[in-house]
Amino acid sequence: KLWKIGRMAMKQNHLTSFIQPYLVKLRELTEETANLTIMENGDIVYIAQEESLKLIRMFTKIGARVPLHCCAAGKAILAYQPEEKQNSIISTLNFRKYTDKTVVDSNRLKEELEKIRHHGYAFDDEEREVGVSCIAAPIFDFDHEAIAAVSISGPTSRFDNETKKKFIKNIIAVTKEISEHLGYKDGNKEITI
């Protein structure tokens, strides 16, 4: 078990080192906090971050865990899991309600995951914390597996419609570039905003 944990840590460290410059780039493009997350046991785990330089900003401690159903990064990774694995994960989730906007049932979550697969990104509009919004997109490896997600987070007041469109384009471009460097080949998926 310790060997397995050690191997996972090595893999995460390699992924973190490789992706950190992209987080810096995304933070500079959006001026919001950029995060790198992975999925583990029904949660999202934050493994790297570049904090916004703005006075009011969002941040999450490295190693922090957040339930999949109430964060953009969790939904972005979950949306691209094979159907059987996705159903298995959803069946184990504790749909805890954090705010009035939290998704609290499996059918609604599945509907949202379908939209995420169609659009290519996920959104969290105050689903875990009032006043906080996030946008995330998955990172794919050469096996076409969603292995991680990159997200940006910030105060909801800075996520108006026009700004969200810009953020979505930025995050899709950055995650596409990361995925391509990991050997992923995509058929130029159209982004719907």
Side-chain angles (χ1 to χ4, degrees):
K1 195 169 185 177
L2 286 173
W3 179 82
K4 187 177 179 184
I5 292 168
R7 293 284 297 162
M8 282 177 59
M10 277 177 52
K11 189 175 178 182
Q12 286 176 18
N13 287 340
H14 176 70
L15 190 65
T16 300
S17 299
F18 171 70
I19 294 176
Q20 199 77 41
Y22 292 100
L23 296 180
V24 173
K25 179 180 180 178
L26 188 60
R27 180 194 63 197
E28 289 171 357
L29 288 168
T30 64
E31 298 184 340
E32 299 297 350
T33 298
N35 310 287
L36 173 63
T37 62
I38 58 169
M39 182 173 67
E40 186 179 89
N41 299 328
D43 290 327
I44 280 301
V45 180
Y46 287 77
I47 62 172
Q49 184 176 81
E50 285 295 328
E51 280 187 43
S52 170
L53 301 178
K54 292 189 174 185
L55 189 60
I56 297 173
R57 60 184 175 258
M58 300 301 114
F59 68 92
T60 304
K61 289 182 181 179
I62 301 305
R65 303 177 77 89
V66 175
L68 293 172
H69 73 287
C70 61
C71 68
K75 292 183 288 184
I77 297 175
L78 188 57
Y80 289 91
Q81 298 305 306
E83 187 177 2
E84 190 175 314
K85 183 176 180 181
Q86 186 185 94
N87 288 335
S88 175
I89 292 168
I90 290 172
S91 72
T92 66
L93 293 179
N94 172 13
F95 284 93
R96 179 177 167 193
K97 185 173 184 171
Y98 291 92
T99 73
D100 288 341
K101 296 183 177 182
T102 306
V103 175
V104 291
D105 72 75
S106 60
N107 290 331
R108 188 165 155 228
L109 178 60
K110 286 178 184 179
E111 287 172 13
E112 191 168 343
L113 296 178
E114 195 173 312
K115 289 177 186 173
I116 291 165
R117 282 183 74 100
H118 176 72
H119 296 302
Y121 62 89
F123 191 64
D124 160 9
D125 178 24
E126 301 183 319
E127 292 170 38
R128 183 151 193 277
E129 186 83 30
V130 173
V132 178
S133 290
C134 303
I135 299 171
I139 296 169
F140 298 97
D141 67 5
F142 61 91
D143 284 331
H144 289 233
E145 182 182 345
I147 58 166
V150 168
S151 68
I152 54 168
S153 53
T156 300
S157 60
R158 296 203 297 253
F159 280 64
D160 61 72
N161 285 336
E162 282 308 304
T163 308
K164 279 196 300 195
K165 288 178 184 178
K166 178 187 143 198
F167 287 171
I168 290 163
K169 286 180 181 174
N170 292 148
I171 201 164
I172 291 285
V174 168
T175 54
K176 184 177 180 191
E177 192 177 343
I178 295 168
S179 297
E180 286 173 352
H181 279 122
L182 292 172
Y184 176 70
K185 291 187 176 25
D186 185 17
N188 292 331
K189 181 173 175 18
E190 187 75 25
I191 302 165
T192 311
I193 300 172

